[in-house]
Amino acid sequence: MRQLTTAICLGIASLAFAQTTSPEQLMQAARQLNSEANDAQTMLDSNLELADSIANDSIALDSILFAPVVIRDLDEILRSLPDTMPELPYNPVAGPWIFSGYRPLKQRSFENAINTSEIIIEKLKGDSWSATPYTPRWLHDALTQSRISGDLMYSMMIYSPNTVQYTYWDLPVPPRLPEDDVTLGSYIRNLNLPEVAVSEALIPEFEQKKKHWLHNFNTGLQFSQAYVSKNWYQGGNNYLQLLYNFYWDVQLNPTYHPNEIFQSTVTYKLGINSIEQNAVGRKYSLSEDNFQYNVKYGFKAFQRWFYTITSQFKTQFFRNYKTNTDIRSASFLSPADLNLGIGMTYNYANQKKTFNITASIAPLSYNLKVCIDKDIDHTQFNIKPDRKTHSEYGSSGEVNMTWQATSNISMRTRLFAFTDYTYFQGNVETTWDFAINKFLSTQIYANLRYDSSSDFNISRWHHWMLKEILSFGLSYTFSTK
């Protein structure tokens, strides 16, 4: 009899909730089920009619279960929300039912309520809506409906498990739309471009022109000028200073010739200063006149080391005199230096080709000093007065480094040292180039020299010598590296 009663209750509840989903209608249906439990057939017929009447008269049931709405000043804004919400067409009680697991015992209040002699509405409804003024009526109504519906379905599942059609863990995985493909390939496919024959799209073969020689060329003309009127209160002299520099470096491309090394470098610097006419009538002087040519050739020994032959030639082109005298201090091939060395060279360049260093060591080195001008004191170049040349044998070393610090700042430096084991001579030249644009630049040039054979008593620098030039002007750079 109990199973029959349960089945009848299920039919009545399903029909009632198919028409409406309000919790008040569920309470009325439960009251009718409890009072007509002794006569199953009569209860089935009467409750079908009762369910229809409840569906058409929800306002009366609402007035029984809920107190009138009281608007409070404290929650005036919240009370502006609508009291009721449109009912959804979906009815969870109508099924299909899905068993999702057992629930705690304390939540099975619906079964206890329908088995009592009288339905306790407050027990089914929970706390009064009027006792929670911060909850809108429609929200409290929906929560109550969901809780009672869940209790009803759980009770029917326990006592009539044959009514459960699915279990939660056996449900199929719901279909999902594929994720959007945002790759470039997907974009191109969506363009629906016409198909292209692969044979027609092939690039015709051609012979790539190889660059066996890498060039780095730079030339510039920097100058400064000043004009001072004769009545200038502080005095002063007019002057014009010009500085011309030339640099051309040619190297064998290591990409196509990894087992060979060849480098040819030509540099020339000329600085002219205008001066007030001195006692001998001269109106200009030379601050810089230096021509230098370096050649290096070798073949690979192992890893970054090469067997090499190095050579260096230095001289100047124009005559120069000591201040306010006719004493000649330098002229063409006076002095001039020629150095030849046999040894090994280490070569390194970083991956970005912004830093390069080459270090050469020549245990066997020959150095020739030349002075052909008879009006110049030969002894200051370690040449005998009656001779024009002097040969020396010893060892030499050379280090060349280039660094492209930024796109417009570069540095190159060169160190050369020679000794015949009786005296030592070293020379370091460093040039910083700050390019403003392709045709304007600022350049800092510093030359530090040490010669143990020079006159120790000429100045407090003794054997050390220093020259520094800061210039600004026109420049042009070309490179194939």
Side-chain angles (χ1 to χ4, degrees), residues 231-282:
N231 61 345
W232 183 250
Y233 73 103
Q234 291 179 325
N237 298 320
N238 304 334
Y239 71 88
L240 175 65
Q241 183 181 33
L242 297 176
L243 177 65
Y244 173 75
N245 64 79
F246 178 88
Y247 175 82
W248 186 19
D249 180 79
V250 181
Q251 294 185 19
L252 196 62
N253 193 339
T255 303
Y256 302 119
H257 305 274
N259 297 322
E260 292 182 272
I261 182 172
F262 180 85
Q263 184 175 12
S264 173
T265 305
V266 179
T267 60
Y268 180 64
K269 291 182 178 293
L270 176 64
I272 303 176
N273 300 327
S274 66
I275 58 176
E276 292 291 331
Q277 185 171 348
N278 55 21
V280 295
R282 196 172 297 109

Side-chain angles (χ1 to χ4, degrees), residues 9 76 87 111 148 154 171 181 234 412 417 444 479:
C9 292
E76 181 176 357
E87 295 183 357
E111 178 67 22
I148 296 176
Y154 181 78
L171 291 176
D181 190 355
Q234 291 179 325
R412 65 177 182 267
I444 300 176
S479 177

